[in-house]
Amino acid sequence: MKQNTIAMNLHEHQLHYPLGDTLPEPGTTLAVAAGDHTGLTPAVKWIRMALPFALDHINLWLLRDEIDGRQGWSVVDCCISVDAAKAQWEQIFASELEGLPVLRVIVTHMHPDHIGLAWWLCQRWSTAEHVCRLWISATDYGVARIGSKIADSFGGDSAALFFASHGLNTPETIDQVKGRASYFSTLVPDVPRQYRRMMDGHVIRIGERDWHCISGYGHAPEHISLYCPSIKVLIGGDMMLPRISTNVSVFDVEPESNPLKLFLDSIDKFKPLPTDTLTLPSHGKPFTGLHARIEQLHDHHRERLAEVLQACSEKPCSAADIMPVMFKRKLDLHQTTFAMGEAIAHLHALWFDGQLQRTRDADGVYRFRV
Ligand SMILES: [Zn+2]
């Protein structure tokens, strides 16, 4: 999901980018992991598609596959449902598939830039002989299905009330939040009617390699990363980004959630992976230094939590009061909604940990105090 409110990594120099600044050209791919012994087919090809947001691109992955004796490819993640993305895919199909079909569509999680075109890809590549199946966690499948069909499932009146209860209650912002009720369904107009479930611990055979599913929480309902031990490659999705920190927000549909704890616990699940793991992130460039990045993210959130706790020790604070503490620059509406979600996530981490108390004041606004 577009997430430009989050912090840039100030310690990016601790990470290593094996491909330097080389990026795949639009409509082409770049090999990011060595392939079989012949070296002809790379294990993973990197696709980088443009997004019309402040976060201006998403990385997608092509993996050589074979299903039921049929040769082809698996794709990981899809881009949003817009014609420009379909056109980029068609270029990829024409030049990068070695004349073979897409056999399955793997989606790390239900955010629009990841699942948007899954319906189109599955339709585009299904035949009488072979169904091009969507693979995703059950949780994210269900949430995406609801989001694509029920207009105000994200945003809208409920989101406006939720933000107001956390202190973002000017008529202008409330109207704007209400007006964004169709945001998700515009970018994800449909989701395939059937899917194959991915769960933590599942091992998926893709071509000649095994990929292990690692679930992650706090960013999406049930994000699945994929790790291949034989080539030491982690498809990290949005759970492990090198340059920006993953958006971790409380949303109106689950107003008492504690996503920051879920997120920090989840990234620790990557710790047993080898130190020379190559991480393929959904945004940014493939990198090594996974363990350094895990620690950086812990440090980053520890610092934010300390700032939030300090502010609340000076006076009871709503999430709207906390936003300028955490985000020191002017935010537009879209950034503001993300920043609010992140501010509430940090307040909730401290609240659930017993370091803050929550009261709802006479004005209907939740305030947090030590
Ligand atoms: Zn996401």
Side-chain angles (χ1 to χ4, degrees):
M1 212 168 223
K2 49 189 179 177
Q3 36 188 253
N4 43 5
T5 59
I6 59 272
M8 298 296 282
N9 182 2
L10 300 176
H11 306 284
E12 199 182 0
H13 62 275
Q14 294 172 350
L15 310 179
H16 176 61
Y17 295 111
L19 295 167
D21 290 328
T22 311
L23 304 174
E25 294 293 324
T28 71
T29 64
L30 201 59
V32 285
D36 56 23
H37 57 278
T38 66
L40 292 176
T41 305
V44 183
K45 292 196 200 193
W46 174 18
I47 302 167
R48 192 175 187 273
M49 282 200 188
L51 288 175
F53 306 132
L55 182 57
D56 62 1
H57 71 279
I58 179 169
N59 300 324
L60 317 169
W61 314 101
L62 266 182
L63 285 73
R64 190 68 168 75
D65 205 352
E66 180 190 332
I67 299 178
D68 300 333
R70 203 171 257 107
Q71 299 296 318
W73 299 87
S74 279
V75 305
V76 180
D77 288 335
C78 308
C79 203
I80 55 172
S81 189
V82 292
D83 287 344
K86 289 182 191 172
Q88 287 184 75
W89 270 121
E90 290 294 352
Q91 276 182 282
I92 299 283
F93 299 157
S95 62
E96 300 290 338
L97 301 189
E98 301 168 14
L100 297 171
V102 173
L103 297 174
R104 96 178 111 193
V105 175
I106 297 169
V107 168
T108 56
H109 66 295
M110 48 69 67
H111 289 156
D113 43 343
H114 300 261
I115 200 172
L117 275 178
W119 68 276
W120 176 78
L121 286 164
C122 290
Q123 222 170 54
R124 169 86 170 67
W125 288 103
S126 285
T127 63
E129 296 79 35
H130 176 80
V131 177
C132 179
R133 182 73 74 210
L134 167 66
W135 291 54
I136 187 172
S137 74
T139 322
D140 280 49
Y141 176 77
V143 176
R145 267 284 263 152
I146 293 166
S148 71
K149 287 297 156 226
I150 301 176
D152 66 347
S153 43
F154 310 114
D157 289 359
S158 166
L161 279 173
F162 173 69
F163 286 131
S165 76
H166 284 282
L168 191 75
N169 47 16
T170 65
E172 185 199 8
T173 50
I174 287 177
D175 281 353
Q176 284 180 305
V177 171
K178 280 185 181 175
R180 291 197 322 153
S182 62
Y183 173 75
F184 188 89
S185 55
T186 303
L187 302 176
V188 188
D190 206 353
V191 172
R193 289 295 172 277
Q194 295 174 309
Y195 75 106
R196 178 86 170 251
R197 184 176 188 177
M198 295 195 293
M199 291 179 80
D200 190 62
H202 279 183
V203 178
I204 304 175
R205 186 79 178 172
I206 301 175
E208 55 191 20
R209 294 182 186 82
D210 286 336
W211 291 79
H212 296 240
C213 297
I214 303 172
S215 62
Y217 303 91
H219 172 67
E222 189 180 353
H223 181 295
I224 300 288
S225 301
L226 294 162
Y227 176 68
C228 180
S230 68
I231 51 172
K232 293 194 267 190
V233 169
L234 172 68
I235 296 177
D238 276 352
M239 290 299 289
M240 194 44 63
L241 305 176
R243 176 169 280 184
I244 56 175
S245 66
T246 299
N247 179 272
V248 175
S249 284
V250 177
F251 294 100
D252 62 282
V253 69
E254 197 187 351
E256 289 91 25
S257 65
N258 187 8
L260 185 55
K261 176 166 170 41
L262 292 175
F263 177 75
L264 293 174
D265 288 350
S266 295
I267 61 175
D268 284 346
K269 292 168 72 178
F270 298 131
K271 279 184 175 171
L273 302 185
T275 51
D276 55 345
T277 296
L278 177 69
T279 301
L280 309 183
S282 291
H283 310 285
K285 295 173 291 185
F287 70 98
T288 55
L290 170 65
H291 296 80
R293 187 62 182 135
I294 294 169
E295 292 315 314
Q296 289 172 359
L297 288 163
H298 278 286
D299 290 346
H300 166 74
H301 289 292
R302 202 178 295 121
E303 286 161 21
R304 298 290 82 71
L305 288 168
E307 289 173 348
V308 170
L309 189 61
Q310 175 63 32
C312 292
S313 71
E314 288 162 15
K315 67 168 178 114
C317 288
S318 69
D321 297 330
I322 288 299
M323 260 199 304
V325 174
M326 290 181 58
F327 305 97
K328 279 144 184 116
R329 60 186 186 281
K330 185 124 181 65
L331 306 172
D332 65 21
L333 172 83
H334 184 77
Q335 294 167 327
T336 299
T337 57
F338 272 96
M340 277 294 284
E342 291 242 349
I344 302 165
H346 284 78
L347 286 163
H348 278 196
L350 295 163
W351 175 40
F352 277 87
D353 194 43
Q355 298 188 67
L356 290 178
Q357 312 300 314
R358 187 181 86 163
T359 53
R360 193 163 197 182
D361 290 352
D363 56 3
V365 173
Y366 289 113
R367 289 192 173 75
F368 296 80
R369 67 192 76 215
V370 292

